[in-house]
Amino acid sequence: MTFSRLYSKTSPEISSEGTVRFFRSLRVHMEQQRLVEKRLSIAYSLCIILGAIAAITIGVAWGHWMETLDHCGNLGGRRNCSCILYGENTLTYFQGGGVPACGWVTFGPIAYMLFSAGLACFHGFRVLFGSKGTKRRTITTRNEVGETVVLQTVETNNTSPLPRGFWITTSVIAAVLMLYSLIHFAIYIDGFLSTCREYRKTLEKALRLSGTVISVIHSRLSCSAIFDFMDYIHPNRADTYRSGLINTAAALIIGIISSFTAWILFFFATVLNIRFARIKSK
């Protein structure tokens, strides 16, 4: 990037204001680009961390409940219902949801983590290792009326501006990742709420409740409390053993918050990419 100052040997008010405005506009543009790239590198880096948290938390909860909730084998079929998400209350027991839901929520973030890693490295490298040295050089030329014009340039950043096509491409990628992370978050929280809703029914039967106490279970207790009951009173299957206790509610809620925050960051990144692409097109 080049900042310029204009000098004239014969006339201080030569008609070269356009050149000055050009370099001034270029300076502002490059400063904006550097700021945008810094914000994007931070946003994409956070998305990697949040995606890992979301995947690990659901993986821990799924692994802990996998054998206990898989009652589908009792029906003689090949279906696996070991997922902590989308659990279902039945007449005799509480069974887990289908494996595809847990598989998607657990391994889904890997895709946007990989894209985020590539974009974070690209923008981070340009921000951290872009040349910031100051160099001066003088260019002598003549204007249209024959006056000698001296252009003194001050180069403060040699990082090349990114073309408009790049910002259009990254805008599309960021928008796709935003939609992808939104679907991930929607399935995660919907599966969580579905299990919570169904286990309220199981809890009602397990505690043999009646009267107004039932309203407390269905209307007053939070999902966190429902999963706490599940941690402590849900029995193991006769042929399985669940080692120790985990805080299932905390694991799932942390994962949901991480998934939602990742979606917010992808939305932020999409807006930045689109806004800068529009600035480039002017």
Side-chain angles (χ1 to χ4, degrees), residues 14 22 54 57 84 104-105 108 111 114 124 151 171 175 179-180 186 193 245 247:
I14 56 175
F22 169 77
T57 51
I84 186 64
W104 160 254
V105 175
L114 292 175
L151 288 175
S171 296
L179 179 60
Y180 184 92
L193 294 176
L245 291 173
N247 193 330

Side-chain angles (χ1 to χ4, degrees), residues 144-166:
E144 51 191 24
V145 296
E147 297 174 325
T148 301
V149 178
V150 178
L151 288 175
Q152 187 180 57
T153 64
V154 182
E155 300 177 356
T156 59
N157 189 343
N158 291 331
T159 303
S160 60
L162 294 169
R164 179 170 179 253
F166 172 86

Side-chain angles (χ1 to χ4, degrees), residues 28-42:
V28 173
H29 176 75
M30 290 298 295
E31 289 176 348
Q32 290 176 339
Q33 175 175 281
R34 187 175 185 84
L35 179 61
V36 167
E37 290 198 77
K38 182 178 181 180
R39 291 175 176 175
L40 287 174
S41 62
I42 294 174

Side-chain angles (χ1 to χ4, degrees), residues 36 38-53 112 116 119 170-171 173-179 181-182 185 257-273:
V36 167
K38 182 178 181 180
R39 291 175 176 175
L40 287 174
S41 62
I42 294 174
Y44 290 133
S45 298
L46 290 176
C47 285
I48 298 171
I49 298 173
L50 293 168
I53 293 174
Y112 70 67
S116 296
L119 292 169
T170 53
S171 296
I173 293 175
V176 171
L177 294 179
M178 179 186 66
L179 179 60
S181 60
L182 177 60
F185 164 69
I257 293 174
S258 298
S259 180
F260 176 73
T261 307
W263 172 70
I264 292 294
L265 289 174
F266 280 123
F267 177 80
F268 173 74
T270 302
V271 171
L272 284 182
N273 278 284

Side-chain angles (χ1 to χ4, degrees), residues 186-215:
I187 294 177
Y188 202 156
I189 192 169
D190 185 57
F192 172 82
L193 294 176
S194 177
T195 297
C196 174
R197 183 172 54 251
E198 289 294 308
Y199 202 78
R200 291 179 193 272
K201 302 174 185 177
T202 300
L203 191 60
E204 177 186 340
K205 294 187 299 183
L207 300 179
R208 300 179 181 179
L209 302 176
S210 61
T212 57
V213 181
I214 297 178
S215 299

Side-chain angles (χ1 to χ4, degrees), residues 119-133:
L119 292 169
C121 289
F122 176 79
H123 291 297
F125 180 84
R126 286 173 56 84
V127 171
L128 294 175
F129 300 104
S131 174
K132 299 178 184 178

